[in-house]
Amino acid sequence: MVRREDRQREILRKLKLRPGENHAIGRLAQDLEVSEETIRRELRVLEARGAVVWTHGAVQLAAASSEGPLDRRMQENVAEKTRIAAAAAEFVRDGDIVFIDAGTTACFVARVLAGARRDLKVITNSLVVAETLGGRNGNALFLAGGEMDYDYRAFSDQVAQAYVAQFTPHLAILTVGGVHPDHGLTDRHAREAAMSRIVYERADRVLLAADHTKFGRLGLICTASPEEVDILVTDAPLDEAFAQAFRRATVVIAP
């Protein structure tokens, strides 16, 4: 008797033979010599893991949302992130209480704020953001501690999460691993996803800063719904599916 784990591995193997293409449920059932209901049962498990995207009777591999160490990621899409950062900074006023997360685009926002705003109360789990904004222009800094993630140069364990949960920022500037029209905002790291969920609940307003490469990606763990985003700042117009997903948000296309 074929084990479920083996059947799921075989489904993924077949999808990998033609990545990016839709595969009919009926054809998969035929190839594996099982019922379509059995295939659907396995796909529910694989979809929950973020391994596949399943819509309208067809399935395909989820686009990978992998991230490397922070220094390398800071060199990717620099022009787009710079434009997004300048547009995002326009929503911050002198004296605001602001949470800024550990994503690379958030680090670009911090760079802009360092030369453009003063007297901020900055809450962050990012060592880079802390170094960029702390101790200058009258800013007060509140840095979450705990065990440091050296790839992110950030803190996002339970100690850091409990610290951040104490605050109620006027504005949270958040990033994301992937944005999918059906599955929402996702991340590949459980701790970062948990940190984001806390901030979505605590902040008065949430600004999501995401360049065009994030759209269509699907990470492992859901962080929020697009409906929870108050302001979306990106670098390219949204297609119809994403425009509908973010219909409640103020959408800014960075010039």
Side-chain angles (χ1 to χ4, degrees):
M1 183 175 180
V2 177
R3 295 187 306 167
R4 294 196 64 183
E5 295 85 354
D6 294 333
R7 187 181 297 120
Q8 290 162 16
R9 276 195 292 269
E10 181 62 15
I11 290 172
L12 291 175
R13 188 189 69 80
K14 288 186 173 297
L15 298 183
K16 288 174 182 177
L17 293 175
R18 291 184 294 156
E21 295 185 23
N22 284 324
H23 297 250
I25 303 299
R27 180 57 185 269
L28 285 172
Q30 191 175 48
D31 289 348
L32 272 66
E33 299 181 342
V34 296
S35 68
E36 291 189 17
E37 181 54 38
T38 296
I39 293 294
R40 291 189 185 95
R41 187 165 59 244
E42 307 302 1
L43 290 178
R44 291 187 191 102
V45 176
L46 293 171
E47 185 180 41
R49 294 179 191 165
V52 302
V53 179
W54 175 24
T55 56
H56 307 300
V59 63
Q60 64 176 272
L61 284 175
S65 177
S66 60
E67 297 180 318
L70 183 72
D71 289 341
R72 184 176 74 236
R73 292 187 292 114
M74 288 290 288
Q75 304 305 315
E76 298 171 353
N77 305 315
V78 171
E80 293 87 346
K81 291 174 181 178
T82 300
R83 289 162 49 206
I84 290 170
E90 292 298 315
F91 290 91
V92 180
R93 297 290 175 261
D94 289 347
D96 275 354
I97 304 171
V98 185
F99 176 86
I100 305 177
D101 77 6
T104 55
T105 306
C107 294
F108 276 78
V109 177
R111 289 178 181 176
V112 176
L113 294 175
R117 301 290 182 269
R118 57 181 305 109
D119 300 324
L120 299 174
K121 284 76 174 175
V122 180
I123 308 144
T124 188
N125 63 320
S126 165
L127 197 58
V128 175
V129 171
E131 292 170 343
T132 302
L133 288 172
R136 66 171 68 207
N137 298 336
N139 296 334
L141 177 70
F142 302 87
L143 175 62
E147 181 183 359
M148 183 169 167
D149 182 325
Y150 286 94
D151 281 350
Y152 275 81
R153 295 183 65 194
F155 307 89
S156 55
D157 63 4
Q158 290 184 345
V159 174
Q161 292 167 26
Y163 181 77
V164 168
Q166 302 176 87
F167 295 90
T168 53
H170 295 144
L171 178 70
I173 298 173
L174 301 181
T175 56
V176 69
V179 184
H180 192 277
D182 297 323
H183 300 276
L185 313 181
T186 60
D187 206 298
R188 291 188 64 82
H189 301 277
R191 290 179 174 182
E192 288 295 322
M195 182 69 77
S196 293
R197 283 195 290 269
I198 290 167
V199 178
Y200 271 99
E201 293 176 0
R202 302 295 294 166
D204 289 343
R205 292 191 303 164
V206 170
L207 184 154
L208 180 68
D211 69 66
H212 68 278
T213 66
K214 302 295 186 180
F215 292 84
R217 285 186 178 183
L218 186 62
L220 180 63
I221 301 171
C222 180
T223 60
S225 162
E227 295 183 352
E228 297 177 70
V229 174
D230 299 292
I231 305 159
L232 171 65
V233 182
T234 187
D235 62 303
L238 304 180
D239 66 22
E240 181 58 33
F242 288 112
Q244 182 63 20
F246 287 97
R247 63 190 181 278
R248 295 188 180 181
T250 298
V251 178
V252 176
I253 310 301

